[in-house]
Amino acid sequence: MPIFKNPNFDFLRWRWPAVGLSLVIILAGAVAMALQGGPTLGIDFSGGTIVIVKFDAGVTEDAVRGAISGIADENVVQQFGSADANEILIRLPQSGPEAGTSLELGANAVRAALDQSTLGGFDVINTQLVGPIIGEELRSRGINAFVFAMAGILVYIGLRFRFSFAVGAVIAVAHDILVTWAMLTFFGYELSLNVVAAMLAITGYSVNDSIVVFDRVRENLRHMRRDSFDALVNASINQTLSRTIITSGTTAFAVLALYLFGGEVLEGFAFTMLVGVISGTYSTIFIAAAAAIVISERRASRRAQVTSAPATSKSKRRSKKARARARA
């Protein structure tokens, strides 16, 4: 059952304000990232040691930080899970190119420091060790996966529909990734493998939404030839609006439940997916359509110039011949 009955919203009227809003969010995220010295990389990419400790009694982050202050200068101590769980996450960075051989020593040093402290009894419930070579390999594979995904999307949509549609879809996907990255920076989430997996899922989700609209545009081209391309695209967005809202809404509710009840491990993944679903719906309506229209109009104007150039040159030659005959 459609949510809207014969919708006729003028979405393209707001395309440039929407583009401006996206640019503000992306630039603000870039500034925030620059102020904090670059993206916050999780242990999957930066390498190091993570130790999750469950204390018998409640402790503060400052107390734990003071107990292990002699281990590393840049250790990270933060609450893990709910406040009443008494769980603390401790992360030690890698100290050099050969740090992979001493990561286990860092975990043992944390245990020893906590044993000597006055924080009470505790249990180490999880330890993660990632060497610098593995972190570098994971980072390069994540970048390669995204680049190949973008190239595949560009080729598929370019062959299946139009080149302008392919560029519009890629621009929309890049928009979703940049907006999501900005939100991750604002809310202090690290870039981990879970987050990268969510971004790749966002890529497929955003493209799927754009393809639905583009497919309707192609169908409408057959019986709306007299209408402008702007009107055709706007009509296609309205015709697929119910489907877009239903798909995005059900996905958003599922991801929201995962964010609220999935636990600390899945929080970054669920947050990334939630932002990506909202941004993907927004970019399908405004960004992808706007980019496709601009590129299509430019290509049409170039073709018109190319076709008019020979006719102009022929008319000039004919006028010269006519003037020569008149003189004769």
Side-chain angles (χ1 to χ4, degrees):
M1 180 180 296
I3 297 178
F4 302 100
K5 188 175 265 189
N6 299 323
N8 190 25
F9 302 108
D10 191 4
F11 291 109
L12 296 183
R13 175 186 176 186
W14 303 100
R15 56 184 172 181
W16 298 121
V19 171
L21 176 62
S22 298
L23 289 177
V24 169
I25 295 174
I26 293 171
L27 291 176
V31 171
M33 190 181 302
L35 291 177
Q36 70 180 16
T40 304
L41 299 178
I43 191 173
D44 299 324
F45 299 108
S46 62
T49 304
I50 283 184
V51 181
I52 301 176
V53 183
K54 181 177 179 62
F55 290 89
D56 296 339
V59 297
T60 63
E61 297 177 4
D62 292 336
V64 176
R65 192 176 292 109
I68 64 170
S69 59
I71 299 177
D73 295 333
E74 298 180 359
N75 55 68
V76 176
V77 178
Q78 63 187 52
Q79 180 180 305
F80 187 81
S82 59
D84 56 352
N86 298 329
E87 296 178 358
I88 297 293
L89 182 146
I90 303 170
R91 190 177 78 178
L92 305 177
Q94 62 183 36
S95 57
E98 298 180 357
T101 60
S102 60
L103 292 177
E104 184 66 35
L105 297 178
N108 295 334
V110 169
R111 295 188 185 94
L114 294 178
D115 281 330
Q116 297 175 4
S117 68
T118 59
L119 299 177
F122 66 90
D123 291 320
V124 177
I125 61 176
N126 190 12
T127 302
Q128 299 180 30
L129 309 174
V130 178
I133 298 177
I134 296 177
E136 179 65 28
E137 183 180 355
L138 292 174
R139 185 162 59 247
S140 63
R141 287 189 177 185
I143 295 174
N144 291 336
F146 179 74
V147 171
F148 286 130
M150 291 297 99
I153 291 169
L154 186 66
V155 172
Y156 170 75
I157 300 181
L159 296 176
R160 189 74 173 80
F161 299 97
R162 289 183 176 185
F163 179 75
S164 59
F165 291 177
V167 176
V170 170
I171 291 175
V173 170
H175 163 273
D176 297 340
I177 297 300
L178 292 175
V179 168
T180 303
W181 205 331
M183 291 299 176
L184 290 172
T185 303
F186 294 152
F187 288 89
Y189 286 95
E190 297 178 340
L191 185 64
S192 62
L193 283 179
N194 287 342
V195 171
V196 172
M199 286 186 175
L200 291 175
I202 290 170
T203 300
Y205 184 89
S206 178
V207 170
N208 179 67
D209 257 2
S210 300
I211 286 178
V212 170
V213 176
F214 292 158
D215 189 60
R216 184 57 59 91
V217 171
R218 185 177 58 181
E219 292 178 0
N220 289 335
L221 280 171
R222 301 171 183 173
H223 56 273
M224 295 180 63
R225 296 180 179 178
R226 295 182 179 180
D227 295 311
S228 65
F229 194 65
D230 291 27
L232 190 148
V233 172
N234 197 68
S236 301
I237 295 174
N238 279 281
Q239 291 169 9
T240 57
L241 185 60
S242 294
R243 183 264 179 201
T244 300
I245 297 299
I246 291 173
T247 303
S248 302
T250 53
T251 306
F253 281 128
V255 175
L256 181 61
L258 187 63
Y259 176 76
L260 295 176
F261 308 109
E264 189 81 17
V265 176
L266 295 177
E267 184 177 334
F269 174 86
F271 178 83
T272 305
M273 283 293 299
L274 185 61
V275 175
V277 168
I278 297 173
S279 176
T281 305
Y282 169 86
S283 66
T284 297
I285 296 175
F286 296 105
I287 307 301
I293 289 173
V294 170
I295 296 172
S296 296
E297 289 177 349
R298 289 185 177 180
R299 296 187 70 186
S301 63
R302 289 177 182 176
R303 285 196 297 266
Q305 291 176 0
V306 171
T307 54
S308 63
T312 304
S313 60
K314 288 181 180 179
S315 61
K316 289 182 179 180
R317 288 195 298 268
R318 290 175 181 174
S319 62
K320 288 182 180 180
K321 290 181 180 179
R323 286 196 298 268
R325 290 176 182 174
R327 291 174 184 175

